[in-house]
């Protein structure tokens, strides 16, 4: 987990540098099993409206598909809902550059700084879920708690290193450090998300 954290941090620093310099279109080059030929695949904004005005779709041909957009966003690539059973939806950052996408039972996106970093975080997340499921199954609750804290730290640290990018904002929302609580008298206070205690000025 620690090696993964350091690698993610380095990639995020690169993401901040390149994403601040690059301009132009995001080009997504995707592959998928040819059994999905003639089916439609969609590029759906993760946030905001999901109407036809904002959702793009193309037909899969020869096990390939392509999207191009000049809108910077975090989006999800999904197959037509009639055929997506067993296919993992994929998050991508539509930053300028060529993004290589593989869609299948486990999906991947690489080729641009933020997507390379997102892929590393995704792999770390999968590893975390596998490990914590095993620890909980074996009733190793203390080890599970420690692993959870390490994963939270990894995500928060990566978010800080990626500050100023869409990926940084997305990761920061995974484990917010604070949240708001409103009392019946209308008073609103800030609460530490780890200790659940009120933060006083």
């Amino acid at each position: 987990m620690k090696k993964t954290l350091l690698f993610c941090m380095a990639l995020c620093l690169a993401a901040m540098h390149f994403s601040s310099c690059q301009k132009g279109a995001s080009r997504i080059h995707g592959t998928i099993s040819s059994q999905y030929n003639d089916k439609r695949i969609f590029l759906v904004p993760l946030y905001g409206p999901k109407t036809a005005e904002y959702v793009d779709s193309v037909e899969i041909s020869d096990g390939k598909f392509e999207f191009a957009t000049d809108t910077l966003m975090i989006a999800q690539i999904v197959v037509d809902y009639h055929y997506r059973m067993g296919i993992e939806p994929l998050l991508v950052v539509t930053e300028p550059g060529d993004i290589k996408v593989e869609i299948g039972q486990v999906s991947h996106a690489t080729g641009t700084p933020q997507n390379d970093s997102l892929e590393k975080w995704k792999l770390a997340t999968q590893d975390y879920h596998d490990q914590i499921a095993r620890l909980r199954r074996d009733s190793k609750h203390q080890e599970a708690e420690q692993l959870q804290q390490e994963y939270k730290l990894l995500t928060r640290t990566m978010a800080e290193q990626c500050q100023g990018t869409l990926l940084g904002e997305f990761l920061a929302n995974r484990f917010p450090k604070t949240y708001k609580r409103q009392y019946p008298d209308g008073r609103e206070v800030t609460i530490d998300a780890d200790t659940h205690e009120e933060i006083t000025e």
Side-chain angles (χ1 to χ4, degrees), residues 70 115 186:
D70 57 5
N115 284 296

Side-chain angles (χ1 to χ4, degrees), residues 1 5 121 124-125 128-129 132 136 144-160 171-179 192-196:
M1 288 288 285
L5 171 59
W121 178 78
T125 299
Y128 162 74
H129 286 305
I132 202 160
R136 287 173 175 168
E145 176 65 24
Q146 180 179 349
L147 180 63
Q148 187 175 36
Q149 293 304 316
E150 290 176 359
Y151 175 67
K152 182 188 294 185
L153 176 61
L154 183 151
T155 302
R156 284 180 174 174
T157 303
M158 190 174 175
E160 291 173 0
L171 293 175
N173 288 329
R174 300 308 93 195
F175 295 104
K177 293 183 178 180
T178 63
Y179 63 90
D192 186 299
D194 295 321
T195 64
H196 302 290

